[in-house]
């Protein structure tokens, strides 16, 4: 019978990759908790209108990437392509914006893009959103959290922070007019996509990756030159705060982002190590979105990490292969019964150890050791009839030396502490 395969661009995550995901998530939960971010859990599907109104009708996401469908009741729904819109909708709906809020969410997002390394149709984001706070502190805090994360993951040397200011919408209108005039004068040099964007979303031309357009883009008017006084001061203050926090950054005047809701500060953490899909985390300030979605005026800022890409990077620097520390092999009914109680006691004594009992009931030792090896465990504990009588257990090194030692059962936890080199855990 023909096997059913996963949908194009939607991946299964398993083995050591799945372990890296768990470690990343644990690391991020602990980190954002330190800064007072509270979890929020949001639906995967929302009314399509939510994304059209927030992300913008003329963006790639809304124009061509959303998974939109009519449900059996005739409602038009969309699988969320990002988390900010749903988060704002929820905060308005549940009246959470009467006070400052810092929330985080994680989960699957859906965009029907052309799949390639680092770009999937179902991918995971970890998002931070902060509401009610004007001023640069909250933007700096969000970038600082990312900065710490890279450090904790050992990725600091592989990522760069790019920042820009989009100013306020009035200054953007002036800029847009000049940009359209500039690109219109060079119309023949624009590729097809950019000719279309000239009519719908001219700022996005700056984001083009087409090498033939780079000189034209480099000479285009710069948004930073159009900022009003308050946006200019705000951007300078952001840069100063990053300097004082010792967070290196590069001002990239062509950084415009692919979603329409931003104003003033925008930023992306990028790497050159993942090919074309090098943005690991992106965000900025979006002071108008809450009002746009029917809430009152409420300044806001946030970012989202693309976990698929971060895990890809972690895979490069991590030697983690398995979450199993100890594999227990036992042959015969009495040794198996004994092994059960021995390892339950061990799990209580040493909760940090991951201990797996071989569960193929009648398997001979050879087969059990094969599984032990495949499990990635560093040690095997071996229990036979003699071990029960002598109140000992055999501890066999599975990875390096292959040595085996006879250990008194009462001394087992301390023995394991000494000989088990703990694998790196974040
Ligand atoms: P975004 O730039 O569209 O921003 O996505 C954030 C991150 O999600 C990207 O930098 C990337 O790492 C990851 N990502 C996006 N698309 C894909 C894909 N097809 N496959 C794999 N990873 C992907 C937002 O979504 C905003 N909501 C961020 C934000 C939060 N702004 C303010 N608050």
């Amino acid at each position: 019978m023909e096997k059913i395969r996963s949908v194009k661009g939607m991946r299964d995550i398993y083995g050591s990759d799945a372990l890296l995901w768990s470690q990343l998530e644990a690391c991020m939960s602990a980190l954002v908790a330190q800064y007072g971010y509270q979890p929020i859990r949001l639906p995967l599907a929302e009314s399509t209108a939510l994304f059209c109104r927030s992300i913008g009708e003329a963006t790639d996401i809304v124009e061509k990437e959303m998974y939109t469908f009519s449900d059996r009741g005739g409602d038009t729904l969309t699988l969320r392509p990002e988390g900010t819109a749903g988060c704002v909708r929820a905060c308005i709906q549940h009246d959470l914006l009467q006070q400052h809020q810092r929330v985080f969410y994680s989960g699957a997002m859906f965009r029907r893009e052309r799949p390639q390394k680092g770009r999937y149709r179902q991918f995971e984001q970890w998002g931070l959103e902060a509401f009610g706070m004007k001023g640069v502190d909250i933007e700096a805090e969000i970038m600082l959290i990312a900065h710490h994360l890279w450090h904790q993951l050992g990725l600091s040397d592989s990522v760069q922070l790019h920042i820009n200011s989009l100013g306020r919408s009035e200054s953007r209108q002036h800029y847009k007019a000049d940009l359209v005039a500039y690109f219109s004068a060079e119309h023949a040099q624009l590729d097809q996509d950019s000719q279309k964007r000239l009519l719908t979303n001219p700022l996005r031309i700056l984001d083009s990756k087409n090498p033939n357009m780079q000189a034209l883009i480099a000479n285009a008017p710069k948004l930073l030159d159009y900022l009003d006084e308050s946006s200019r001061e705000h951007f300078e203050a952001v840069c100063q705060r990053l300097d004082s926090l010792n967070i290196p950054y590069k001002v990239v005047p062509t950084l415009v982002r692919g979603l329409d809701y931003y104003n003033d500060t925008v930023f992306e953490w990028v790497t050159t190590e993942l090919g074309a899909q090098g943005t690991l985390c992106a965000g900025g300030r979006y002071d108008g979105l809450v009002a746009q979605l029917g809430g009152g005026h409420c300044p806001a800022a946030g970012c989202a990490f693309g976990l698929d890409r971060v895990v890809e990077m972690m895979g490069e620097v991590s030697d983690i292969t398995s979450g199993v520390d100890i594999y227990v092999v036992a042959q015969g009914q009495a040794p198996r019964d004994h092994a059960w109680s021995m390892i339950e006691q061990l799990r209580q004594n040493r909760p940090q150890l991951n201990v797996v009992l071989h569960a193929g009931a009648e398997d001979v030792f050879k087969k059990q050791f094969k599984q032990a090896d495949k499990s990635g465990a560093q040690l095997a504990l071996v229990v036979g009839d003699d071990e029960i009588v002598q109140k000992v257990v055999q501890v066999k090194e599975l990875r390096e030396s292959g040595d085996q030692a006879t250990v008194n059962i009462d001394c087992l936890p301390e023995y394991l502490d000494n000989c088990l080199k703990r694998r790196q855990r974040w």
Side-chain angles (χ1 to χ4, degrees), residues 82-84 105 111 113 118-120 123 125 128-129 257 259 261-262 279-284 286 302-306 308-309:
E82 58 104 53
T84 309
Y105 51 82
R111 296 183 194 176
E113 298 187 81
R119 186 164 74 190
Y120 308 101
F123 59 97
Q125 281 187 349
L128 306 180
E129 313 290 356
R257 309 278 300 119
L259 307 103
Y261 47 64
Y262 295 106
T279 308
L280 299 176
C281 168
Y286 52 95
C303 76
F305 296 82
D308 301 76
R309 297 179 189 176

Side-chain angles (χ1 to χ4, degrees), residues 49-69:
L50 173 70
F51 301 116
C52 299
R53 257 164 75 183
S54 53
I55 297 170
E57 296 276 4
T59 56
D60 282 352
I61 295 178
V62 171
E63 271 185 351
K64 48 189 184 196
E65 294 170 2
M66 296 204 305
Y67 282 91
T68 296
F69 57 97

